[in-house]
Amino acid sequence: MNKQTIRDVSWQGKRALVRVDFNVPIQKGVVGDDTRIRAAIPTIKYLVDHGASVVLMSHLGRPKNTVVEDLRLKPVADHLSSLMGISVQATPAVAGAEARVAAMSLTPGHVLLLENTRFDAREEANDESLAREYAALADVFVNDAFGAAHRAHASTEGVARYLPAVAGFLMERELDALAGTLEHPERPFITIIGGAKISDKIGVIENLLTKVDALLIGGGMANTFLLAQGHAMGDSLVEVSSIELAKRMIELAAQRGTKLLLPTDAVVADTFAPDATTRIVPITGVTSGWRILDIGPDTRIAYAHEIARAKTVIWNGPMGVFEMPAFATGTRAVAQALADSQAKSVIGGGDSVAAIEQMGLADKVSHISTGGGASLELLEGRVLPGVAALRDR
Ligand code: ADP
Ligand code: MG
């Protein structure tokens, strides 16, 4: 990674302002899945151990620029405190005088969590006055919120204009895994793209087509490609407005000599329901009254075979409606093939990550991204504003 990190700063006696992603589910004041909190601990621990005092900030949910009692960060401070075995103070102030008093009274090794950044209307507007208030709280800014790095907000991008800004360990790990893999893949390099809609991921497909040896497509988005090739799709989800785009992608793949694999068979159902009547049909046999809800057995074998011979694999998007067990087989087959392979495997995207965790295979892959939207934008080849703002090495 070509950005400075917390290892490049001498922390003794300094105050660190750390943007983390503590956007976790909270029910009645109790934190649910705390993966994101745990993911930030290595950075916080490093800073504390190196003599810094630490001011943390994060957004939580969508309070729409006003104080929402259920979206206060106090329960997160308490949770972090018990995870780390140190005291973590919370303040009800996002920034301003009250936050400054709390930050300035911190002694080395102590941690303060500011209030939900999105309570302040200036946050999402990336307002300069708020960025300056944040900057007044510390000596150095650390961005460890990979999941928010695609947003140019005051706490991710604005503040970095007023303080020296470096990456935390989670940010570094995510950038190495995603951007680093895209830049220097060991070949064969393949990607598997799925999910509901082609329109959500056209930028990803277009960028990856220029980089990979093979692109495997599944999920609902494959239907539009198949339609573009002239296959009838029955009652399947299709995006008529994206047919031309799909054709263009097929041509681009041919021009670049990139292998583009589409399903050759499918699991079709008579309704969109867990207990629907299902059939396995070749892709030429999808008739009206039936809809594709998963890839079929021949496709599973072909995709698993491609994964087995790859040295690098990036996966985004499930192969079918995996939320219903009857249509999870294709997604499971891909997850299993990844788990069995020696390839460097990187998974990004909210639903694909949920699928591999649900299947108990998460610890068998090289990297699982914590940032859905941010990881998609990296795969599109975009520069994330929260990353661009960090100091170059
Ligand atoms: P990710 O979050 O991993 O990027 P997406 O959000 O793009 O993935 O897509 C996930 C959704 O796509 C899931 O809810 C899944 O049910 C849906 N999906 C997958 N295949 C189909 C299909 N054949 N028809 C309709 N929906 C599908
Ligand atoms: Mg999703």
Side-chain angles (χ1 to χ4, degrees):
M1 193 186 62
N2 61 348
K3 293 292 179 182
Q4 292 189 20
T5 73
I6 52 176
R7 280 187 219 90
D8 298 309
V9 177
S10 116
W11 288 106
Q12 196 57 51
K14 294 230 177 75
R15 224 175 297 275
L17 176 66
V18 189
R19 176 58 157 101
V20 288
D21 179 3
F22 283 170
N23 186 22
V24 292
I26 298 180
Q27 288 260 312
K28 296 198 173 121
V30 180
V31 172
D33 180 0
D34 64 356
T35 308
R36 286 181 169 154
I37 300 177
R38 290 174 185 275
I41 289 180
T43 293
I44 301 168
K45 190 165 173 347
Y46 180 93
L47 295 170
V48 165
D49 289 350
H50 286 76
S53 51
V54 178
V55 181
L56 301 171
M57 60 177 168
S58 176
H59 74 283
L60 174 64
R62 297 175 189 276
K64 304 232 168 73
N65 305 330
T66 176
V67 176
V68 174
E69 287 304 322
D70 287 347
L71 295 175
R72 287 194 181 278
L73 279 170
K74 176 79 169 64
V76 176
D78 295 342
H79 193 87
L80 177 65
S81 174
S82 67
L83 284 177
M84 292 189 69
I86 58 173
S87 114
V88 177
Q89 263 185 72
T91 164
V94 174
E98 189 181 349
R100 188 166 155 82
V101 169
M104 291 306 140
S105 60
L106 277 181
T107 49
H110 287 86
V111 180
L112 167 75
L113 176 58
L114 301 175
E115 188 52 280
N116 191 341
T117 53
R118 290 191 186 166
F119 284 1
D120 192 315
R122 296 172 298 169
E123 163 68 6
E124 293 185 64
N126 198 2
D127 182 290
E128 191 185 313
S129 68
L130 181 59
R132 285 180 190 278
E133 284 178 31
Y134 288 145
L137 302 176
D139 306 304
V140 178
F141 173 63
V142 176
N143 194 343
D144 211 22
F146 174 73
H150 58 313
R151 312 267 186 229
H153 292 167
S155 70
T156 59
E157 198 272 337
V159 61
R161 290 183 228 155
Y162 304 105
L163 283 180
V166 300
F169 292 141
L170 175 63
M171 179 70 87
E172 180 185 35
R173 199 152 53 83
E174 291 273 12
L175 293 176
D176 282 343
L178 287 156
T181 300
L182 279 179
E183 274 165 40
H184 311 286
E186 221 191 309
R187 295 186 182 273
F189 171 28
I190 71 166
T191 56
I192 309 146
I193 305 288
K197 284 164 50 195
I198 196 176
S199 49
D200 289 346
K201 294 187 183 167
I202 200 71
V204 175
I205 295 172
E206 199 162 6
N207 184 43
L208 292 177
L209 268 177
T210 67
K211 298 194 154 51
V212 302
D213 300 299
L215 184 65
L216 284 50
I217 296 188
M221 72 162 64
N223 304 344
T224 303
F225 281 94
L226 294 163
L227 193 64
Q229 289 184 329
H231 297 292
M233 286 290 103
D235 290 4
S236 305
L237 172 72
V238 293
E239 288 167 276
V240 175
S241 60
S242 294
I243 293 176
E244 286 310 313
L245 267 177
K247 282 188 180 157
R248 203 153 62 73
M249 293 303 122
I250 292 169
E251 273 164 30
L252 184 63
Q255 277 166 19
R256 307 226 21 141
T258 306
K259 208 158 142 186
L260 180 69
L261 267 68
L262 291 166
T264 55
D265 62 348
V267 178
V268 295
D270 62 346
T271 55
F272 188 90
D275 58 351
T277 300
T278 67
R279 288 170 50 195
I280 289 162
V281 297
I283 224 60
T284 48
V286 183
T287 51
S288 120
W290 295 85
R291 73 215 65 223
I292 298 178
L293 295 185
D294 197 6
I295 56 174
D298 290 349
T299 310
R300 291 200 301 263
I301 291 169
Y303 286 14
H305 180 72
E306 286 293 331
I307 293 169
R309 25 192 307 273
K311 289 261 171 46
T312 307
V313 184
I314 293 180
W315 178 28
N316 169 275
M319 296 291 98
V321 183
F322 75 100
E323 297 92 335
M324 302 182 196
F327 311 110
T329 316
T331 302
R332 183 170 306 110
V334 163
Q336 190 64 54
L338 278 174
D340 293 342
S341 102
Q342 300 298 310
K344 177 172 186 189
S345 46
V346 179
I347 303 181
D351 291 289
S352 345
V353 169
I356 197 146
E357 278 172 352
Q358 184 185 310
M359 289 162 189
L361 297 169
D363 59 342
K364 299 278 200 302
V365 297
S366 317
H367 182 79
I368 294 205
S369 178
T370 55
S375 65
L376 274 182
E377 291 202 12
L378 274 187
L379 295 179
E380 286 175 0
R382 290 209 232 171
V383 176
L384 312 184
V387 176
L390 303 177
R391 279 196 168 174
D392 289 326
R393 181 167 292 288

